């Protein structure tokens, strides 16, 4: 075993353990917190966590075996099932993050009508669409026999074998539709929703800043250092909202873009 192979296997194990522990902790919080269960975003969080847990349990061990042995783990049927699960669960996770962003958009932009615009029934319908959307592409992959062990990726995943070049046009159409309707659509929804949220957050910050400045002008005896701290806190408040949104969108791109680029 070479050092790069060892580091790759170690990274797979570390990612699997971290993913499993973090998502199990989220699942534990959901089961123990009645407040989280009573809110609509909890449905999307549960759907996302379950997808991540199943992806970790099913796909990560198969990928580890494929890398370690440099061969197909177990048989063809198992590899096709793992490939099916990878497509289904990855798509479902992307759409779940998009659903969470839309929920936050409705909550921030329409706070007074949020309870009527985003109900439990609406959340379950969105989750059902996410499952149906994911199932459509994973079933297409299974029926067209585009799932199995790939020596290029050393894992069971969606790919086109070299001897199936006659299906190249169909496979290219499938991957284009798959990535456009899953990754690109989710990223577009995330950017739209959180840019709207950021605009509202900045509007609130401006109103707070005006009130703060008016208060500081009235307090003529206040020490200059206190004024400076208040102004610095205003700046941090504006930056904090932008930073959180950039982290959320950046994490989505960081986690899913390698899968999209390589498939």
């Amino acid at each position: 075993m070479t050092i790069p192979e060892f580091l790759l296997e170690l990274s797979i194990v570390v990612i699997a353990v971290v993913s499993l522990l973090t998502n199990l902790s989220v699942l534990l919080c959901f089961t123990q917190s009645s407040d989280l269960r009573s809110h609509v975003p909890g449905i999307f969080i549960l759907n996302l966590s379950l997808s991540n847990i199943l992806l970790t349990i099913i796909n990560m061990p198969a990928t580890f075996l494929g890398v370690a042995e440099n061969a197909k783990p177990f048989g063809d049927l198992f590899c096709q099932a793992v490939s099916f699960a990878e497509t289904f669960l990855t798509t479902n996770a992307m759409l779940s993050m998009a659903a969470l962003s839309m929920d936050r958009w409705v909550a921030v932009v329409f706070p007074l009508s949020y309870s009527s615009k985003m109900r439990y029934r609406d959340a379950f319908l969105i989750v059902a669409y996410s499952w149906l959307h994911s199932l459509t592409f994973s079933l297409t992959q299974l029926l067209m026999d585009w799932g199995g062990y790939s020596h290029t990726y050393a894992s069971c995943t969606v790919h086109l074998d070299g001897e199936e070049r006659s299906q190249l046009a169909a496979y290219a159409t499938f991957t284009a539709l798959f990535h456009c309707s899953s990754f690109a659509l989710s990223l577009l929804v995330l950017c739209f929703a959180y840019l709207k949220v950021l605009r509202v957050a900045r509007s609130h910050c401006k109103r707070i800043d005006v009130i703060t400045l008016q208060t500081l002008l009235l307090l003529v005896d206040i020490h200059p250092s206190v004024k400076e701290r208040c102004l610095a806190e205003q700046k941090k408040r504006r930056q904090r909202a932008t930073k959180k949104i950039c982290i959320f969108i950046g994490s989505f791109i960081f986690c899913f873009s390698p899968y999209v680029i390589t498939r």
Side-chain angles (χ1 to χ4, degrees), residues 199-214:
R199 182 178 297 177
V200 174
R202 284 180 173 174
S203 176
H204 291 332
C205 285
K206 285 181 181 178
R207 285 198 289 268
I208 295 172
D209 292 347
V210 170
I211 296 172
T212 304
L213 288 172
Q214 290 175 347

Side-chain angles (χ1 to χ4, degrees), residues 84 88 91 129-140:
F84 175 90
F88 177 84
T91 307
Y129 167 77
S130 176
W131 282 45
L132 183 63
H133 182 112
S134 306
L135 192 62
T136 300
F137 286 99
S138 52
L139 278 177
T140 302

Side-chain angles (χ1 to χ4, degrees), residues 30 36-47 50 92 96 99 103 114 117-133:
F30 182 86
L36 185 59
R37 293 196 302 271
S38 63
H39 288 80
V40 171
I43 303 298
F44 303 134
I45 293 172
L46 178 63
N47 189 44
L50 287 176
N92 190 42
S96 296
D103 176 83
Y114 171 76
K117 290 180 179 293
M118 190 63 73
R119 297 163 293 181
Y120 263 101
R121 184 185 66 181
D122 301 318
F124 282 117
L125 286 175
I126 293 173
V127 171
Y129 167 77
S130 176
W131 282 45
L132 183 63
H133 182 112

Side-chain angles (χ1 to χ4, degrees), residues 236-255:
K236 288 181 180 179
R237 193 185 304 116
R238 290 192 296 266
Q239 292 175 343
R240 198 178 299 128
T242 305
K243 185 178 179 181
K244 287 181 179 179
I245 290 173
C246 289
I247 288 174
F248 193 86
I249 296 177
S251 64
F252 176 86
I253 297 173
F254 177 78
C255 291

